[in-house]
Amino acid sequence: MNYQSTIFSAYLSDPEIATLISDEALIKKMLQFEAALATAQAKLGMIPQTAADEIKTVLNAITILPADLSAGTLQNGIPVVTLVALVKQQLSKEAQPYFHFGTTSQDVMDTAMVLLVKDALAVINNRTTGLIQALQHLSQQYGATPCMARTRAQLAMPVTFAHKINAWLQPLQNQAAGIQQLKKNMALQLGGAAGDAAAFGNNATALVNEVATILNITAAPAWHAQRSSVASLGNWLALHTAILAKMGADILVMAQSEINEVEENAGGGGKSSAMPHKNNPVLSEAMVALGKINAGLQSQLLLAVIHQNERDAAAWILEWNALPQLLINTAIALQHATTIATAIKVNTAQMLANVETFNKANK
């Protein structure tokens, strides 16, 4: 299963995020970078204004499909070479030399990735906020109910349900507090051929600042071979899904038939083809699995930090593979957790009965 799966699109994938980071979206963001670059370079007098105007007109009108770039990507290992060629075919001979001026394929792809991440993180941030609110409401409704704590899979001591909910809620609140810095760290990439911005001369810093302003992202020195910001993003996403997986793991125990303290999704839970009496906690199962998957994907981003010299496509490919799935897994896990937090049936009578049984056995 991958993020393009139709069968699993609403269970182990996320259609909204998949659209935001699709091939079509990547092409749009690459063209957006090129338009911002031409605009900024014209403003700084690096290219003629007439050329910039023509470039922007062509970029606004051109249609480039993923299929148009596939053969070139196979040949070159990147889609940008073909994309640039297709755009130049639509430009006059006078404007062609000023398109993609001084930049390199990695600038285009990394900045497009940052723009995609920004869109995806906006959705993830909104869902995190919604889940925090749903868990707070759940705690207000049922938090005072006594229930059993379990340590090392054994009954420990009575606590309140709020104590369990807080173990899901508080880490999410900590995560939410860090998302703004995370977005800030995902900065514009603009370094040219070797990452030293030499092609831009004395205009390098001003150009970076201007392009970043147009694209509404952070300005920073080129980070071609410095991949720690991508790894940090992956760590945040992996930790986010691990926190949600902990919530799912707790619910799987509490929903066991012999414990029966909660029903994950009352009235709408998972069915069995052979056992119609069951209400399987399928969303919690997915959250646990997604947390484990993201933990593995994060290791790929850590490996990509081991980036040889000034450009290492073998490391780069690891990011292309892991990051989209990390984003999608995080988003769908949040969706499942919010469904649970709003649809869960809390069997308060059974919680109290389990506490009473423990108390009688331990007088």
Side-chain angles (χ1 to χ4, degrees):
M1 197 283 300
N2 60 43
Y3 70 89
Q4 296 175 328
S5 171
T6 300
I7 294 175
F8 289 98
S9 63
Y11 183 50
L12 297 178
S13 186
D14 191 279
E16 183 176 7
I17 298 294
T19 298
L20 289 176
I21 62 174
S22 64
D23 288 344
E24 292 81 3
L26 175 64
I27 292 169
K28 180 180 178 181
K29 298 302 187 185
M30 289 192 289
L31 296 177
Q32 186 179 348
F33 166 82
E34 296 285 8
L37 179 67
T39 300
Q41 288 175 330
K43 182 176 180 179
L44 296 171
M46 299 172 67
I47 67 172
Q49 185 64 54
T50 54
D53 291 342
E54 183 181 342
I55 288 168
K56 288 186 288 183
T57 298
V58 168
L59 292 177
N60 285 333
I62 197 169
T63 298
I64 299 177
L65 302 175
D68 299 331
L69 304 179
S70 59
T73 302
L74 176 61
Q75 178 180 348
N76 304 306
I78 45 175
V80 180
V81 176
T82 304
L83 180 139
V84 169
L86 290 173
V87 173
K88 283 189 173 182
Q89 289 175 8
Q90 304 299 315
L91 293 170
S92 67
K93 290 183 178 180
E94 292 75 21
Q96 285 178 1
Y98 300 111
F99 178 68
H100 194 69
F101 180 69
T103 190
T104 192
S105 295
Q106 186 166 4
D107 293 334
V108 182
M109 291 198 65
D110 278 351
T111 301
M113 180 267 290
V114 167
L115 294 171
L116 295 178
V117 165
K118 180 183 175 183
D119 291 347
L121 282 179
V123 175
I124 289 170
N125 186 41
N126 287 339
R127 292 190 190 181
T128 300
T129 299
L131 175 56
I132 287 171
Q133 293 171 347
L135 289 174
Q136 289 171 332
H137 181 66
L138 183 65
S139 188
Q140 290 168 359
Q141 281 186 298
Y142 299 106
T145 305
C147 66
M148 288 306 305
R150 296 173 179 86
T151 60
R152 301 176 68 178
Q154 303 294 305
L155 292 175
M157 297 293 292
V159 293
T160 63
F161 190 35
H163 180 74
K164 286 186 174 288
I165 294 172
N166 281 342
W168 314 333
L169 174 60
Q170 290 172 352
L172 277 175
Q173 291 172 321
N174 292 336
Q175 286 284 100
I179 196 168
Q180 295 305 321
Q181 185 61 46
L182 193 73
K183 290 193 288 188
K184 183 178 178 181
N185 290 343
M186 297 302 296
L188 172 71
Q189 178 76 279
L190 185 55
D196 62 353
F200 306 128
N202 294 332
N203 287 311
T205 300
L207 180 63
V208 167
N209 290 335
E210 187 64 29
V211 174
T213 297
I214 294 170
L215 296 175
N216 193 28
I217 55 178
T218 303
W223 44 277
H224 284 192
Q226 303 169 33
R227 313 307 291 184
S228 56
S229 62
V230 183
S232 295
L233 170 63
N235 185 66
W236 187 91
L237 294 167
L239 182 55
H240 220 61
T241 42
I243 291 166
L244 300 174
K246 188 270 188 292
M247 174 181 170
D250 285 350
I251 290 170
L252 289 177
V253 173
M254 298 175 74
Q256 288 177 200
S257 298
E258 62 274 21
I259 296 176
N260 192 32
E261 292 177 342
V262 300
E263 289 181 58
E264 176 199 80
N265 189 0
K271 306 302 180 186
S272 167
S273 62
M275 295 169 282
H277 62 280
K278 296 183 72 180
N279 183 352
N280 293 322
V282 297
L283 301 182
S284 294
E285 291 170 338
M287 288 157 58
V288 171
L290 291 165
K292 293 178 179 180
I293 292 168
N294 269 6
L297 290 170
Q298 164 58 4
S299 67
Q300 294 183 33
L301 297 187
L302 289 174
L303 290 171
V305 176
I306 307 170
H307 197 100
Q308 291 182 4
N309 297 313
E310 283 63 55
R311 184 169 297 112
D312 182 352
W316 210 9
I317 290 169
L318 295 176
E319 295 177 356
W320 303 346
N321 178 67
L323 188 55
Q325 199 67 56
L326 276 157
L327 290 164
I328 285 171
N329 291 347
T330 304
I332 193 60
L334 282 164
Q335 189 77 8
H336 291 338
T338 303
T339 298
I340 293 171
T342 54
I344 193 170
K345 179 181 179 182
V346 181
N347 297 328
T348 56
Q350 188 61 49
M351 285 184 175
L352 290 168
N354 291 343
V355 170
E356 286 299 313
T357 299
F358 173 82
N359 288 335
K360 289 177 182 178
N362 289 277
K363 279 186 177 180

